[in-house]
């Protein structure tokens, strides 16, 4: 198959970007766990505020503390921010974090879709081609052909030829007829 050089490069970039997306997927899952923890913490703080609101029912500054004020009953929190306002702020934070979770979940689904598409593209490759592509692009650090050749027990030059052939096939599967010279 006679594939245009630009599409060979695009295919290599596509695979490298997919590796980054896989890493990002793991990071997004961790971020979602943190956001869920934050939401639970905020919900617990809201419960505490509501309990405190029921228990305290405010302090009568005039009678209990001897402080003259216009309103008869004020809580100490009223000097800073009302309990209701605190609850409202925390509920808004919860909504914001839930939206972030939803957005991150959507991004994870897009990444999963990209992975499924790549799996479809590689379905036509033979096992050794898949192994070489995986070793070259999907490890934490990009393996050299020498390292891969040791792993698969083929000569380095043969591994490079298999790699190049697999990349050309993938370029055709990914980009279609645009990738070939007619």
């Amino acid at each position: 198959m006679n594939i245009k050089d630009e599409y060979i490069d695009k295919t290599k970039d596509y695979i490298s970007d997919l590796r980054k997306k896989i890493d990002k997927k793991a990071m997004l899952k961790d971020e979602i766990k943190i956001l869920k923890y934050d939401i639970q913490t905020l919900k617990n703080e809201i419960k505490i505020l509501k309990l405190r609101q029921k228990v305290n029912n405010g302090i009568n500054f005039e009678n209990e503390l001897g402080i003259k004020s216009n309103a008869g009953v004020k809580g100490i929190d009223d000097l800073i921010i009302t309990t209701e306002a605190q609850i409202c702020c925390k509920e808004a934070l919860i909504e914001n974090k839930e939206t972030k979770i939803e957005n991150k979940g959507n991004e994870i689904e897009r990444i999963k879709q990209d992975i499924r598409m790549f799996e479809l593209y590689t379905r036509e490759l033979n096992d050794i081609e898949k192994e070489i592509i995986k070793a070259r692009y999907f490890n934490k650090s990009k393996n050299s052909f020498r390292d891969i050749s040791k792993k698969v027990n083929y000569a380095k030059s043969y591994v490079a030829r298999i790699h190049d052939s697999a990349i050309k096939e993938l370029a055709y599967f990914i980009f279609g007829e645009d990738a070939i010279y007619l």
Side-chain angles (χ1 to χ4, degrees), residues 163-181:
H163 168 270
D164 293 346
S165 173
I167 290 293
K168 287 177 182 178
E169 282 187 63
L170 287 172
Y172 179 71
F173 295 144
I174 295 168
F175 300 107
E177 291 186 7
D178 290 341
I180 59 174
Y181 290 109

Side-chain angles (χ1 to χ4, degrees), residues 11-171:
T11 301
K12 290 176 183 177
D13 291 343
Y14 173 88
I15 297 169
S16 295
D17 288 345
L18 188 60
R19 171 71 241 166
K20 292 174 188 168
K21 287 179 181 180
I22 291 168
D23 291 340
K24 186 171 184 178
K25 182 178 133 192
M27 181 186 70
L28 289 168
K29 285 182 176 183
D30 290 342
E31 289 177 4
I32 287 172
K33 286 178 188 174
I34 291 168
L35 287 167
K36 286 180 177 179
Y37 178 81
D38 290 347
I39 288 171
Q40 190 56 49
T41 301
L42 287 166
K43 286 180 178 180
N44 290 339
E45 289 174 4
I46 289 171
K47 284 180 187 175
I48 291 168
L49 286 170
K50 287 181 177 180
L51 285 173
R52 192 180 305 158
Q53 192 177 37
K54 285 180 184 176
V55 170
N56 289 346
N57 255 346
I59 298 171
N60 187 326
F61 283 90
E62 203 168 313
N63 294 339
E64 295 175 30
L65 301 176
I67 300 172
K68 296 274 185 192
S69 66
N70 292 336
V73 177
K74 287 198 178 207
I76 195 75
D77 292 340
D78 289 336
L79 298 174
I80 303 169
I81 184 170
T82 66
T83 303
E84 283 301 319
Q86 288 178 15
I87 292 170
C88 186
C89 287
K90 291 183 188 299
E91 287 171 343
L93 284 171
I94 289 172
E95 281 184 43
N96 179 276
K97 289 179 186 294
E98 286 172 341
T99 300
K100 286 181 180 180
I101 288 172
E102 183 180 338
N103 292 340
K104 289 176 188 304
N106 291 339
E107 192 170 353
I108 288 171
E109 287 305 312
R110 286 190 298 274
I111 291 169
K112 285 180 180 177
Q113 179 65 25
D114 290 344
I115 293 167
R116 283 191 294 273
M117 288 303 297
F118 185 74
E119 289 169 352
L120 284 174
Y121 298 144
T122 59
R123 194 169 32 178
E124 295 299 317
L125 299 179
N126 64 41
D127 289 341
I128 192 67
E129 289 172 324
K130 288 177 188 176
E131 189 173 348
I132 290 170
I133 293 296
K134 183 179 176 185
R136 180 80 170 161
Y137 296 98
F138 290 100
N139 289 329
K140 292 293 180 188
S141 61
K142 192 173 182 178
N143 285 326
S144 68
F145 289 128
R146 178 179 288 123
D147 294 337
I148 297 169
S149 68
K150 290 176 186 174
K151 183 178 177 184
V152 295
N153 287 329
Y154 288 117
K156 181 180 117 180
S157 59
Y158 187 59
V159 168
R161 282 196 308 273
I162 293 172
H163 168 270
D164 293 346
S165 173
I167 290 293
K168 287 177 182 178
E169 282 187 63
L170 287 172

